[in-house]
Amino acid sequence: MERLERCGRGLRAGLADGRVRRRLPWLLLAIVLLGSALKDGDLVPETPMQDKRNPLNVYFVKVAWAWTFWLLLPFIAVTTYQFAGSKFLYGPTKSVLMVLRRLSALLVGTAIWYVCTGLFIYIENLTGVCSTSGELREPHRLYATKQECHQDNGIWNGFDISGHCFLLSYCALMIVEEVAVLEGLSIDQNSKLRVVINVLFVSLCFLTMIWVFMFLCTALYFHDFSQKFLGVLIGLSAWYGTYRFWYLKPFSPGLPLPSIPLSSKKYSYSR
């Protein structure tokens, strides 16, 4: 428990710091630019990470939203309820309503993930053509989708916006926004709740590190520059449109720090 507490304190000083939230979007853009330049210049060494079947890609990135969703869900619920109660902002009933309101940010994130990934697939199908190694005497077949092409062992060439760049950037930015609640949360050091929050917080920190690392691997080994750049721009736009615009409005899931005025010095770093 002591190690967990020390680890939580160290990570809280870093990931929950306002400077991380300010700089992470620029870091992600820099990674795409530098990674693409190294890839185009053939300067990237061969590593196991260029294999799409590497464990981090298969067991984490392929289900990135599920990992983010199921770790953020208890974290948002516990910290929001504790924050509301500790500041005497609401009674028990209104605290529960505040929790439900804040959890709706996960529904918004799910909708963004679903719509954007569906749009990426539609664009790739719309812009793509299928290359097959069929015999010349066979009539030329037109393929409507990438899936149909792959069923005939073909190669689909379309504009494949990087879903990895979109989702990993959005998930990482969403996590660092949500853990900001720890800046204003006070919990008894001997409380069991503190242990639960520390476990969730440390898990979210390491998950964020995985997302940024795999984002780097995507920039170095996969996709064209335009596909990666557009993917990260959509991820940044989704984050900015929610946490920096919509969530400031009354009819929204709200921000992780509901009791701190936007004009306050402590909160102005990211608003």
Side-chain angles (χ1 to χ4, degrees), residues 110-171:
T110 301
I112 289 172
W113 161 73
Y114 183 81
V115 170
C116 288
T117 52
L119 179 63
F120 296 168
I121 292 171
Y122 174 77
I123 291 174
E124 187 177 12
N125 286 333
L126 186 67
T127 60
V129 293
C130 185
S131 301
T132 62
S133 57
E135 295 183 12
L136 294 177
R137 64 175 178 271
E138 292 181 358
H140 182 68
R141 178 184 171 186
L142 295 177
Y143 295 86
T145 66
K146 181 179 181 179
Q147 184 178 9
E148 290 180 4
C149 178
H150 285 176
Q151 286 174 350
D152 281 356
N153 298 318
I155 299 175
W156 188 260
N157 298 304
F159 189 73
D160 182 17
I161 300 173
S162 177
H164 280 30
C165 284
F166 152 70
L167 188 56
L168 294 177
S169 60
Y170 181 61
C171 286

Side-chain angles (χ1 to χ4, degrees), residues 18-52:
R19 289 173 296 179
V20 174
R21 288 193 294 283
R22 284 200 308 269
R23 295 171 182 174
L24 184 56
W26 299 107
L27 174 63
L28 295 172
L29 286 172
I31 288 174
V32 166
L33 293 172
L34 181 59
S36 298
L38 292 174
K39 178 178 181 292
D40 294 342
D42 231 1
L43 300 173
V44 183
E46 292 187 5
T47 70
M49 302 312 298
Q50 67 189 87
D51 185 353
K52 292 183 178 180

Side-chain angles (χ1 to χ4, degrees), residues 2 4 9 13-14 46 70 73 78 80-81 122 128-129 141 152 159 168-169 203 209 241 254 259:
E2 290 182 5
L4 177 64
R9 282 199 304 267
E46 292 187 5
W70 290 113
L73 190 149
V78 172
T80 303
Y81 189 86
Y122 174 77
V129 293
R141 178 184 171 186
D152 281 356
F159 189 73
L168 294 177
S169 60
S203 300
M209 294 175 190
S259 70

Side-chain angles (χ1 to χ4, degrees), residues 60-126:
F60 283 89
V61 178
K62 292 292 185 183
V63 285
W65 180 246
W67 278 104
T68 304
F69 183 99
W70 290 113
L71 279 177
L72 277 179
L73 190 149
F75 180 84
I76 293 173
V78 172
T79 55
T80 303
Y81 189 86
Q82 179 67 19
F83 190 87
S86 66
K87 300 296 180 182
F88 304 103
L89 298 174
Y90 307 99
T93 301
K94 288 189 176 181
S95 293
V96 171
L97 292 177
M98 172 59 78
V99 170
L100 294 176
R101 179 188 176 190
R102 288 267 39 258
L103 285 176
S104 66
L106 294 176
L107 297 180
V108 173
T110 301
I112 289 172
W113 161 73
Y114 183 81
V115 170
C116 288
T117 52
L119 179 63
F120 296 168
I121 292 171
Y122 174 77
I123 291 174
E124 187 177 12
N125 286 333
L126 186 67

